[in-house]
Amino acid sequence: GQQLNQSPQSMFIQEGEDVSMNCTSSSIFNTWLWYKQDPGEGPVLLIALYKAGELTSNGRLTAQFGITRKDSFLNISASIPSDVGIYFCAGQLAGNQFYFGTGTSLTVIP
Amino acid sequence: ETGVTQTPRHLVMGMTNKKSLKCEQHLGHNAMYWYKQSAKKPLELMFVYSLEERVENNSVPSRFSPECPNSSHLFLHLHTLQPEDSALYLCASSQDTGRYSNQPQHFGDGTRLSIL
């Protein structure tokens, strides 16, 4: 299957700091999704991206569909304790299933 | 997210037991999925049902048997599982517009399965 490289694997930041994470692949994707998973719960959709270069915000979260269509980025501004969790990217090749990254674990230190 | 409900939330079973996982979606979607989530690994797609017809198997061992009686319900029947099958099993649904829709999948909270 397709491999999505998600980085960093984990982050420890101070409350109030901005966060950046990304997802890359050797393949060209036509859809990118970003999810957050809290302990004991399933992934929750944060942002969906459908066009190269697309920049979409959801509150303090902003995600971008890379111009090359091989990557995507997620930024969180002014982090708060409830941002703690694991963030997953998912990419879809045309006419194929979604492939998921291994996740970025975010810890916010008050 | 209450749109997709999975039961039970936790399940401990021996290798010779037979059990079933249940998933119900209240989102009006027409596609449902089973995923396996293991530590440090990406989500693994197991089964896809679109309009109640199975369209993807992904070479899952036969000890896992899915059933989709209608577009709102999905089951995963388990039989003679192995210790390496211990994982979080996630159900998802989406609005399917074709064999592989680009519509986002909405997940349940999963069943944590432990095989003794």
Side-chain angles (χ1 to χ4, degrees):
Chain A
Q2 295 296 318
Q3 186 170 354
L4 297 185
N5 300 308
Q6 199 169 340
S7 66
Q9 285 189 324
S10 61
M11 303 180 72
F12 294 82
I13 62 168
Q14 293 285 339
E15 182 177 355
E17 289 184 352
D18 296 343
V19 173
S20 292
M21 61 188 78
N22 67 75
C23 200
T24 62
S25 173
S26 57
S27 300
I28 292 175
F29 288 91
N30 65 346
T31 302
W32 285 99
L33 306 175
W34 284 93
Y35 289 88
K36 182 192 177 201
Q37 186 173 23
D38 291 329
E41 298 183 13
V44 174
L45 180 69
L46 299 174
I47 294 176
L49 303 162
Y50 297 102
K51 294 181 181 179
E54 181 179 355
L55 189 70
T56 297
S57 294
N58 178 4
R60 294 177 295 104
L61 277 62
T62 301
Q64 184 165 23
F65 194 137
I67 291 293
T68 65
R69 297 172 62 193
K70 295 182 178 181
D71 53 13
S72 181
F73 308 88
L74 177 69
N75 296 312
I76 306 173
S77 62
S79 59
I80 60 177
S82 62
D83 290 333
V84 167
I86 301 178
Y87 292 80
F88 292 98
C89 62
Q92 186 195 37
L93 300 169
N96 210 318
Q97 65 181 68
F98 276 97
Y99 295 92
F100 288 79
T102 51
T104 293
S105 175
L106 177 64
T107 300
V108 179
I109 303 168
Chain B
E1 184 165 307
T2 57
V4 181
T5 305
Q6 288 187 245
T7 55
R9 293 295 311 276
H10 302 272
L11 178 61
V12 179
M13 57 187 285
M15 289 190 286
T16 58
N17 291 157
K18 288 185 182 180
K19 296 286 184 182
S20 295
L21 309 185
K22 179 182 176 181
C23 177
E24 183 174 358
Q25 61 96 1
H26 310 277
L27 299 170
H29 291 162
N30 57 9
M32 298 187 77
Y33 311 78
W34 279 117
Y35 284 90
K36 177 183 180 183
Q37 186 176 36
S38 303
K40 307 296 184 184
K41 294 177 67 176
L43 286 174
E44 300 173 52
L45 179 63
M46 300 176 70
F47 299 103
V48 179
Y49 277 85
S50 177
L51 297 172
E52 300 153 44
E53 179 182 343
R54 190 163 78 188
V55 297
E56 185 62 59
N57 185 352
N58 268 11
S59 303
V60 176
S62 60
R63 56 186 183 268
F64 295 92
S65 175
E67 178 189 1
C68 187
N70 55 61
S71 60
S72 299
H73 294 86
L74 184 65
F75 296 89
L76 187 62
H77 303 300
L78 315 173
H79 176 48
T80 320
L81 295 192
Q82 304 299 309
E84 61 265 27
D85 296 325
S86 297
L88 181 68
Y89 288 84
L90 290 164
C91 172
S93 70
S94 71
Q95 190 58 34
D96 204 352
T97 56
R99 180 178 173 90
Y100 282 109
S101 170
N102 67 352
Q103 295 303 300
Q105 294 167 20
H106 297 260
F107 288 85
D109 287 334
T111 294
R112 174 68 62 185
L113 178 64
S114 298
I115 307 300
L116 302 179

